[in-house]
Structures are given as C-alpha cells and as structure tokens.
Amino acid sequence: MSVLTSPRGKTEVVHCRRTELQDIYCIKNLTRKFTQKLFGRLNIIYLLEKANLAVTLCNDKEEIMAQATFVDFPNWNIARQDNWVSVFRELDSEIPCTPLNTLFMHLFVAVDEYSVGCCKEIIRTVFKAVPDLHFIFLIVPSYMSLGSTLITVFNQVGSVPCLTFDEDFAVHICHRHSHYPQLHVREARVEDHDHLMPIFMRYDTVLKETYGEYFLAELIEAQDKENHAVVCEVEGIAVGFMSVCSRVNMQLLHECFDLGPFHGLCHPHPDDVLQPLREPSVHGSTDAELRSSSQGSQKTTEEHLKSASPDGVESIQGKLAEEAVTEELLSTSQSNYGSDMEDIEKLSRISVGEEVEYEVSSKSSASVLLQEEIRNFRPTYRGASAAFCIQLFCIDEKYEARSLDFMNFVFSLFPDKDFCIISLPHLTPEFVLIQNFVRMVPFNNCTLEQDLYVFHRAGLLKSISIRLATVLDTPGVENLVSTLMLNKSILDDLNQYNTARKDTDGTPMQAFVAEVAEQIVGIAVVRNEMDIEYIRSHYNIEDFIYFSHHQREEHGHLNHFALNPIFRHYTRFFLKEILRLGFKSCLYYPVYPHCRSGKLQSPYAHSLTSALHYLVPVRPRRQIVYPLEKLGINAPSKEVSKDLLNYALNHTNRKLMLEPKITVNAKIVVVGASNVGISFLETLVFCPHLKFNNLTLISTHGLPGKKLLATEQRRFLASDHCFNDKDYALMSLCSWVNVVVGRMTGIDRAAKHVVMSQGEIVLYDHLILCTGQQYQVPCPSGADISQHLTSREVPRSGQQRYNDIVPHNHFTLNDEEDCCKALAWIKNNSITVDGNVIVYGNTIDTYTTVETLLNLGVRGCCIHFVHPPPTSTITCINNYSVESAVADALITAGVTIYRDALLAQWNDGQYPDPIRCASFTTPTKPFRLQCSMFFSFCEKNVDYETFKAFNDACLVYDGRLVIDTNFHTNDVAIRAAGSLTKFSNRYYSNEWTHSNFNSKEIGFQLAAAMLSLFDPTLEPVTEPPADLDRLIPMYKGAKIQGGILPGPYHYLHIAKPAIPTPLEVQMAKPDFGLEIVTGNAKNGNYFRIHINKYKMVETITCLSKETFPASNYIRLFGQHEQVLNNLCARYEDALITDLYSYFMEPWCMALFHDRFIDLRRELRQILTSKEEEDLPSIEQIAHQIEDEEINTREKPQKYLQRVFQETIYKALVEKSILDYLHYNHYHLPMYAWPGII
C-alpha cells in the first residue's frame, strides 16, 4: 500500500496487482490521443496477451488509477524481437543491457490528476517484482515529447531508425538505482543493533526471549574466521542482517538428503565412493528400464544421475567461483547496473556430472517402494566441506526483493567454499532469498523436520545468455547430457536441427542453448505444435490464453529441456528467451502415461524436464461422444475428433513468465487411493498458481490407472464414473505426488507421522484419510448342515471378523489389482473349462462379476449366484423392470441363483485353503456347493488394520470415523472424507453420510476447505453463525453407478443424492413428478427419465443391449425439461418413441458440451441483472408478480414471456447464445449462426 498525493492536495491509497482481462474497459477509458501518439494504435487485448508483465494500480475502492505494460522486446518495430540487443549496444555501449536485465514499456495510462505518482509507483513495483531487471526502455517517435508524467522517470539516451518506414524514434531509459537500488552490504557492527532489533521483533520474539535482549550485539561481537555477520544498509541505516558460519554438520546432511547432484557439498577426493561397488547385472538393466519408463516425471530417486569426473566438477566449481566473486564484486562496486563478467576468461572445460537436470523439488514420478532392495545407496564423500551455512537472516519487508544482494559479499568471506546452504522448518513460507536456492530432496527415511536449500556461487553469474544452437555446440551439449537417460534422443534432435532445421516429418524445430562463460549449461529443443486444434478442443488452455490472438506458428511443443541446477533460478529466463528468440507465445509439454512410454527412445519419450514446476498443468476437457455417422458432414473436423494417445498437458506463455508460483512445503499425506483421495489430489495439483512440494499418497497398490486394463478386467466391478484410465492419464498425478506403496498400520498424533506395515514412518502436517470401505472376507457361521439347520437356528453372535487363513482361491475384488489377480487365476487354473464358481453377495458388483465370468467363457451351469439375507428392503438396482430383465438373462445363461443363503462352512469345517466346497443355510433347507473359485461381495466395511490404526490413535470411531462438517476428526491436523466417515451425532443426521454423495465432489470440497490454509488469494473462511453450525452440507453432484449386467446389458443409473428409498415408495409420493419411459428392459432398449415437480431431470436409468454414450447422458442430469427441447410436451404428444435416438439428434450436442453450464450461468446473469435504468430485471418482475405488486390479467408465465420478447433481454440472450455457438464452433459445427448460411 502507498499513498499518492495530487497537486491539489488530494490523497489516494493505492496498491499494485497483475492486470486482468476485466481491466481492459477501464484501460481504454484512460487512453488519450496523446497515448496513441506515444505508443501507437494498440489492440489492448492483443498487447496483454503478448506482454511479459502488465501492472494495474488500484485505489482502496478497486478503481483503476493507472496501468503499464512491459514486453521483452522494443515496440515501434525498431528492431527484430530476436535481435534488439546489438541495436541498443550500438546506441550506448556504456549501458550493459541484456535480455536478462531489460524490459520495454509498451503502454502507460493513468488518471491525469495522479499520473506522476502512479508512474513512479508502478516503476518501483516492477523493479521490485523483477530482481534481475536494471533497465526499462521507452521508445517514442522522435518528434514527440514524453509529457509531464513519463519525463519524471525516463531520460533520453539517443535515437534509432525504424525497420519498416523512414522515421527516427527516441530511446529513453529508466534505471533501477533511481527507484529501487541494489543494497550496499558490509560487515555488521555493534552499533547496527538498534536499527536491526525492530526488524527482528516484527517477525519473531523467540530469540530475544531465549538469548536475552542483546543477543544480536553479542552475535556481532563474536565474529571470527568461521563466523561472520553482515548487514545491508540504505542511507547508512542497516535494513537487513545475515549471520553465516563455515561449520556444517555434513554427516547429518548426508544421512538425510540426496546431495549427489552437488557432490555431497564436498570437495572432490580420490577416495570418494560415488557408486555401489558391484558389477552390472540384470537387476541394474531392469532398473534402468524402469527409470526410462517414467517420462515426464520428476522424482530424483528415479532420475538419479551417475557421477561424472570429480575433476570436471572441481573445474566448474573452482573457476566459476573465482570468477564469480571477483567479477561480481568488481562490477557491483564500479556500476550501479549490477552487470558482470565483461572480460571473463574461458573456462578450460565444464563437466556438470550429477548436476545436469537435477530436479529441484521432491515431486515424484514413481512409487517410493518400501522393499529393502530399493533403498538408496548412500555415496561416501571423503573431501573437505565446500559449504557454509546461513544461521540467521532477516530483512525489512520493504527491501526483501533485494535479498540476493547479500550473496556476493558472503561468498567473498569464504573463498574456499562453493556452496551456501540454509535449513528451514518446512512450514516456513518461501521468501525471496530461497527462491534462488535449490531445494534438496530428502531421503525416504529422513525424519528431520527441516528443508535444505543450496546455492552455488556460480549462480551469481549474470552473464547467462540464451541463443540458437549451432554445430559447434554439439560437444558441449554431449558433455551436459551425458548422464541423462534420454541423451541420445536429445543429441539426435540437436543433430536434426543443425542439419535440416525441421523434423523428419517436416515439422519446423528449433534448438536453444544456455551459455555461461562460453560453456553450455542448458539445452532445449522446441518443435512447432502441429496439433493445436486438438489441444484447444481437448484441454482448457483458454483458462490461460485468449486463443484467437495467437497465430498457429506461435504455439511451440517443448520436447527437451535440461539445465544445470546451479542455474536453476534462471529457468524462467530460459523459457522466456525460448519464446522471444523462437517467435513463440506459448509452449506445451506433454507427459505420457508410464505404461506407454516404453523403451528409452520411445517416440513418446520426452526428456525429463526440471522445468515442469515452472509450467502450469492444464485441465483436460470433457468430450462429447458424437454420433459421427448421423452427423455426416456436420461432424467436427478430424483434428478435433481424432483419437490420439492420452497425455497430461503442461503449459506456459508470455504472461506467466514473470509470475511466480506460491510454494507450499506443508507435508500433506493422503491415505487411500479412493475416488475421494484422487479428486482431492487432482484439485490441489491443478491450482495453477500454487506449487505443492510435499504431496504424498499412501496406497496399497500405488496410484490407480497405471495398468491399462483389458475389457474383461474392467468389467468385474461396477463403475461410479468418477475416474477411468483415460482420466488418470490426463492428470498424470505421478508427476506431482510422491506415492508410498504399503499399508498404514498406525498414526502417531503427537509425533505427526503415519506408521507403515514394515515399520517405516511418513511424516505429515496434514493427514487426509480417504481409505473408503472394502469388501471383507466373510466369516462363516460355523453351522453344521448335517444337522439340517435353517438360518433361524444358527446362533447369531453379532458381526464377526474372519481371523483364519484366507484361502488363495477366495477373492474380494476392491480395485484393479484384485481384478488382475482374479483374471490370472481364472486363466491359469482352467476355470472356464471345469471350474465351479461361487459368487456370494447382493451388490451390483456381483452382477457385473457374473457377467464377466460368462464373457470369459465360464459356463453358466458352473456359476452359482448366492444372495445372502438382505440387510435392507432396497435392492442394489432398485428398479423392478431392470431386475426382472437381468434375472431372466441369468436363467437363460444357466446360472443357478440361491436367495437368503447364509455362509455356514468352507470344506465342512476342515482346513479352508483351498476352498473345495462351501455350505450354506437358508430359511428352509441348507445346501452344499463344490467350489473352485469363491467371489465374496457380501459386506463392505473399514479394513481392520485401518480401524485399529484409528482406534489406537484415539480418533473417535462410531461404526465409522466421526467428522464434522469441515471434514475434521477430533484431531485438527487430521481430516477424513468418503464412505469411511460419518457425521458427528450432534448434527442429528445419521442417515446422511458421504456415501450418499458423489465421491468426486466430496474430494473437491475437501480440497476447497483446505486451500484456504495455503492460498493467500482466497478470502479467509468465516465461521458460520451458531444456528447454521449444526447443519450438514448438502452436495448436488449426481450419484452414478453403471456397468455391464448379465444379458449382456449396458447399465447406467444417475440419481440425485438422497437417502435410499424403494422406487415404488418414491413414485407413490404426490410430488413425485413425471416418469418418461421408452423401450423395454427385456428387449434391451430401456430408457427412463424422472422429471421432478420443478421440471428438472432428477433420475436417469438406461439398460441397453448396445453401448451408449454414458458421459453424454450424465450431462442431462439437473437440466430443465424445456432445455431438452420441451421433452415433456413432446413425450405427451407421442413424438418421442426412443430416447436413445432422441439424444443422438444434432440439436442436443450443445447440452453435452463442457461449457454449456457456463452459457446457462451467463443467461441467468442477463435475466437477473438490470440492463436499463428504467427497466427492472426479469427476476425482479417475477418477484413483483409473486408479491402481487403487479396485477395482470395474463398468466404470469405469459406475461413474463411478453416482457422478455418486447425488451432488450431477448436480444441479449440471443446474442449470448450465438456467441457461444460461434466461439465453440470447432466442437459444435452442426449448429448454424448468422454469417455462415
């Protein structure tokens, strides 16, 4: 916040923020004729799309006071955007401008009365936001004066000609030192104490309380060769402090962190042990192949690179360190611009070894396997320590952006040290200084509650330059990527670029290198993105760009990116230069599923990129399933509808280059890969402005979707249509989430860690429990059927847990791994030939499993479908028509059905493994069945080990884990969600649990509840009023189940969340609404829609012999029947005989479009807003009719229709609909709009 004063003495409190698209209207209003003469006639939207930085100044009423736009190349076409440096060097050789330290102002507008103050505030903010920036240039026609505002900050340095027409342009410059200068750093003195203590006290009082009032003075006095204290000062007053020490506990760091990429922070020594002492083996090659399959993933343990020559590492560390300190200090003392290394010597060679493309975050690609043989080899370093540490650091918030100014000076204090390290509690918000450091990855067994950050002295060099690669760069690139798994692919692409400048298929390509001191430290390969129509139609890239303002050739495909971690903080600059030099505006980076990455040089293989965290993940778009044959020439183009291999898309563009992400280091541990857990992780991962460094998933089988299931495997279990294999591929959670494969057996709430089944621990700050419920092994009643007992005579001893050996031919199917095992057993044991299979249970999964067995070739007469006694009057299908059709299909297939049968014994009470026969009791007489394979679906419950972990941790458990409306358990650090949970009894809603709602929506709401803890852009959560605190949340997403039932019938049921009630009871209610049914269940063309009393679609049931587009039908839920082309009226007029055909007609494709909901919101906003001064909104008129303020002889609906037709609202609605169809024409070409007919 700053205060501006106008010449008249008026004041305004202002603040700066990033420019948003909604600012455009105000920017245009602030544009004057003088503005156009200075900057030319500009398309504001286009300029903002291509700008690197756009800043808006607002007052405390959020009124826009000023706006400025900055780009990394000059305007007025005085130089090509890829070659402006030479022009400005010729203009004034004493100004060491580079692409790193220079921006150009392309627009400035302001409220006239405050324009001078606004200009200075924006300039100061820009220099503060971009620490490497030293010069801002302004180019204007030479005949124009700058006016009274801009002249206060810009000085003319010369003039240059235009490339396109005969006219000169004046060049003006604004220097950093005039607005937000670099800080002077010196050794601390005792007299600095009084200036520094208020800064310390503003942040923390612990040090003063622990060490006394004068701890800082004592620390300054205690300086020696190993300990130094330095300050930065402004006008002789200390505004920042840093205490550094050369004593570092290297042993502890080596035990806790993977320091291999930086040679253990030690000087090389001949006795260093950098690799396991063993011969290459089959295991080693397999490990390499495993690593190669994790394309696009970022886990350091997977991408650990082999050691290079220690001498090479010493060369770069030693020589670059020497040059960095001497040249940087010289340039800082000689120049206010902070330029560096003008006459640097050539380095003999650069070998980055382990350091090449080391990922700077702990994000994982693959599971952190708990097996003993996977545990990391620990290198041994014999050399002396090459690191010093920052013990204490504090700086005035006003000057925090200049924190890196300390580093030149502190490195000069330790000429024999190459690394500066700092350790911080992982919940410490990431401040400016450590944004330039590399965050080290802890080992899996690290229990240190600190994060370690490392900075190499060579990172101080400012002479980094990005340029197009040449043939002469090949040896340097070979040396750089020699330890990467995809080095051959990178080198092949580099050779292809040097040879032809295009790919073998003709796609234009470019290769860029990053160079420091004439040494190659980075490589990137970019191709033109040829599938941009596919990307636009399948991914939400329009969340980030205004697509129509980007030319086709401006979209680039990032194939390879590798950068020495010493220069990791220049990643954004590297990407920005790729866009500038390559004449690109957007970059796209795909991450393909591991199972399809294949071999090392797979055509889908992209080099592992440490730049992934500087890109934003792009949400995939839900696709319409088109009836292509019916649409004919009106179908979407092949570029939109083609079926490519699914991949997760990451993106960046010019606008994002100078927009840092907010780093969240909190350890968020999710237990259970249920749909709730996956939805929770998906929501966090796709927050574009947040970077979560410590997301961990604990799951018995790791992430789902890692296997591409065959049809027969997928059909074993019914689907709730939350996620499928395609969704997992489009998310690529493995790129962002650490996965621990194993079982949770305990929770230590005091120590905040989860105990795994093999004794390992996983630390957490926030624990999310989403284990769900699983089918359990049934416990036989033990009744001896030789006694001819009925079920009534069997003594009931309450719920019992099965404690005996689980037979190996007994299967409870809960996930894809279980399905794979069952399928393998069927194929390996000839079950389809002579096996007797018992399917025990009465859930929908029993029906889908029976159908799968029939599909696999198991004879119907060998399948015994046993229903246990029902626990509810509501069946799993709850539709008599569907149930009778399925029952007839089972009888036709020869499947024997037993009802109300209670499992009595396996193998007549003898040793149960394997199961050879099973006995059951019924209300009449018992029976025994021979058994080769036993499927159990009779009971879902919380796994016993999970329950025991909850119970031992003293979490409140009452049949299920008890939570409040904000997902909290009785421990504020532990949240839970999903079918595992129930609401506390104080809500008096025991019939409502998360099981009644859509799991995906539950996971989203759980993430939304937690994001307020991490996202400063969100409004703080306010506590609900006391009378609302006892209300449980009601979620609106549809509850869905589907699968393939015996027949085979394709089944889909979509319903509103509700307490289960028999369908007959629902239909008997007076406010039930209308039921629309076409077809017949037994004929396999059954389609039922329930329209509620508000004319909204509330339930959909489909049963068909043919496949149908389930994802389309799910979009019908919650729509008004009139939106469905007056469905009720047409049905009553007998115009609809087949709903399947009805919803394949071209008119309804827009209903299935992913942005149709946005259109509905826009139309509603039009009808509820007051568009004209003397005209009330349609909503207001409706309220007036309801309150009888308007008396009309017409029916209210007729009156509203007439008002709508006669006023501006009709035109506005039509325009909105036509704009929607026109903008989405690539998805909806079957619709016509004015101008194409």
Side-chain angles (χ1 to χ4, degrees), residues 116-265:
V116 174
C118 289
C119 182
K120 291 182 178 179
E121 181 64 21
I122 285 181
I123 293 294
R124 191 187 70 83
T125 300
V126 170
F127 278 123
K128 183 177 180 180
V130 189
D132 289 321
L133 180 65
H134 287 276
F135 312 106
I136 298 176
F137 284 102
L138 173 62
I139 318 296
V140 299
S142 57
Y143 61 84
M144 289 291 300
S145 67
L146 291 185
S148 59
T149 300
L150 294 173
I151 201 168
T152 61
V153 295
F154 286 96
N155 300 309
Q156 186 169 351
V157 292
S159 61
V160 293
C162 179
L163 293 179
T164 52
F165 48 91
D166 188 18
E167 184 177 344
D168 287 345
F169 287 82
V171 179
H172 300 78
I173 190 171
C174 174
H175 296 280
R176 163 180 286 280
H177 63 78
S178 302
H179 299 273
Y180 196 75
Q182 289 181 277
L183 301 177
H184 174 63
V185 181
R186 57 170 173 79
E187 289 195 6
R189 299 188 288 262
V190 175
E191 50 266 34
D192 296 321
H193 175 272
D194 292 344
H195 294 143
L196 294 171
M197 281 306 294
I199 302 174
F200 273 95
M201 293 302 100
R202 201 174 304 150
Y203 291 104
D204 198 356
T205 60
V206 174
L207 289 170
K208 179 179 178 181
E209 294 167 359
T210 305
Y211 299 106
E213 185 174 358
Y214 299 103
F215 76 92
L216 193 56
E218 295 169 1
L219 184 62
I220 294 172
E221 283 184 329
Q223 295 183 73
D224 54 30
K225 290 183 179 180
E226 293 182 338
N227 299 276
H228 295 275
V230 299
V231 297
C232 61
E233 65 177 15
V234 174
E235 297 178 354
I237 297 176
V239 296
F241 176 84
M242 181 181 286
S243 172
V244 290
C245 177
S246 61
R247 292 195 305 273
V248 178
N249 188 342
M250 298 304 299
Q251 181 180 352
L252 178 64
L253 297 183
H254 289 161
E255 291 173 356
C256 295
F257 297 96
D258 181 7
L259 302 177
F262 292 111
H263 200 78
L265 305 180

